[in-house]
Amino acid sequence: MSSASPRGALVVVEGLDRSGKSSQCQILVDHLNQSGSKAQYVKFPDRSTPTGKMINSYLTGSAQQDDHSIHLLFSANRWEAIQSILQMLEFGMNIIIDRYSFSGAVYSAAKDNPNLGLDWAWACEVGLPKPDLVLFLDLSSEEAARRGGYGEERYETQQMQSRVRALFQDLFKRLPNVNLKQINAGCSIDDVATEIRTTFGRFVEQAKLERPPEKLQ
Ligand code: FDM
Ligand code: MG
C-alpha cells in the first residue's frame, strides 16, 4: 500500500464492566468489514501474552499483586502491543479497541490507594498513540449489576464500579484534547449499535488523520 493511501482510524470503546463494550466493538468491526472497510478488533487486557497471563491470574483471584505493580502490568500490556497496532493503522486497517488507557487509569485510581491517584496512574500512558475517537458507553453501576455474569471477577462490585464511573468523568475533564463521544448504553443493543455506527460514519467523513497518530499527553 502506498504511503498516500489513508491510514486506519484508531477508535477506543470504554465503559464499566457489562456496559456492552465487547459486543458493540464486534458489531462495529463486522459492519465495517462487511461494508468494504478493513477493521480489526483489539482487546485490553490482552490475556494471551506473558503480562496478560499475570493480569488474568490477578483478575480471577488466583494471584495477588501490589496495586502499583498490577497497574504497571496493565500499562505494559498496552505498550507491548503498540508497534503492531501502528503497523495495522498504517496499512489502512481501522482498529477498534475494547478498553485502553482510560480504563487503565480509572480502575487503579478507584482503589483509593493514597499513593495511586489519577495523576500517577495516567503517567505511564503518556506517549501511547492517542485514539482518533473515544466512545464511552455510559451505564449506571446499578444497571450494570443487573446484567448477566456480573460479579465473577475482581473489580466487579457495585462500589468499585460506581467509583470507576465517576473517575471516568474526572479523567475526561482533564483530557479536553481527546475526541470523546458519550453514548447512553442503557438502550437496546440495536439502538446503541446504530448510534455508534452513525458517530463513526460522521467522524470518518470529517477526519483528518495524522500519520502516525498523535500521542496521549
Ligand atoms: N482493567 C482493564 C484495569 O484495571 N486496567 C486496565 O488497564 C484495563 C485495560 O480489568 F475490570 C480492568 C477492567 C476490568 C478488568 O477487563 C478486565 P475486561 O474488559 O472485563 O476483560
Ligand atoms: Mg470484565
Side-chain angles (χ1 to χ4, degrees):
M1 177 162 289
S2 86
S3 59
S5 45
R7 74 159 166 87
L10 184 61
V11 177
V12 164
V13 180
E14 285 282 11
L16 300 188
D17 289 277
R18 310 299 164 208
S19 60
K21 291 178 306 305
S22 305
S23 314
Q24 291 297 342
C25 285
Q26 207 59 66
I27 292 170
L28 179 61
V29 166
D30 290 348
H31 164 73
L32 292 174
N33 282 320
Q34 281 157 19
S35 57
S37 313
K38 291 179 289 188
Q40 172 73 45
Y41 173 76
V42 171
K43 159 105 190 83
F44 291 116
D46 173 356
R47 301 189 194 211
S48 70
T49 71
T51 58
K53 290 192 171 113
M54 293 169 79
I55 291 168
N56 185 59
S57 304
Y58 173 79
L59 288 172
T60 55
S62 65
Q64 302 304 316
Q65 289 274 353
D66 170 78
D67 291 344
H68 303 79
S69 148
I70 189 65
H71 179 78
L72 295 169
L73 283 171
F74 272 113
S75 185
N77 187 248
R78 279 182 284 282
W79 278 102
E80 69 191 5
I82 282 320
Q83 282 317 317
S84 102
I85 289 178
L86 288 173
Q87 276 166 16
M88 287 192 282
L89 288 172
E90 190 52 33
F91 189 65
M93 184 78 79
N94 296 293
I95 308 289
I96 313 299
I97 309 188
D98 185 347
R99 290 197 191 278
Y100 194 56
S101 306
F102 311 94
S103 280
V106 300
Y107 278 79
S108 291
K111 292 175 174 175
D112 252 359
N113 182 323
N115 299 314
L116 212 176
L118 270 184
D119 287 338
W120 192 92
W122 185 254
C124 30
E125 306 304 311
V126 171
L128 284 170
K130 182 178 150 194
D132 300 303
L133 175 65
V134 177
L135 301 167
F136 181 69
L137 303 194
D138 193 31
L139 190 70
S140 71
S141 57
E142 294 80 9
E143 228 171 311
R146 281 197 293 271
R147 295 190 170 181
Y150 183 80
E152 283 161 15
E153 285 204 332
R154 207 185 281 260
Y155 303 156
E156 293 191 354
T157 66
Q158 204 163 316
Q159 188 195 34
M160 180 75 179
Q161 299 286 321
S162 64
R163 282 201 206 135
V164 163
R165 188 182 187 211
L167 279 164
F168 266 123
Q169 297 304 329
D170 290 352
L171 180 64
F172 292 143
K173 277 194 207 111
R174 291 171 184 226
L175 300 170
N177 294 329
V178 166
N179 182 18
L180 170 72
K181 165 82 176 162
Q182 307 224 26
I183 289 176
N184 175 8
C187 333
S188 72
I189 291 191
D190 285 351
D191 287 352
V192 176
T194 303
E195 190 167 358
I196 289 178
R197 193 173 298 169
T198 310
T199 305
F200 182 84
R202 257 193 241 123
F203 156 76
V204 162
E205 273 169 25
Q206 300 162 359
K208 290 197 183 61
L209 302 178
E210 306 276 341
R211 346 173 55 111
E214 291 174 39
K215 292 180 174 171
L216 286 176
Q217 291 175 354

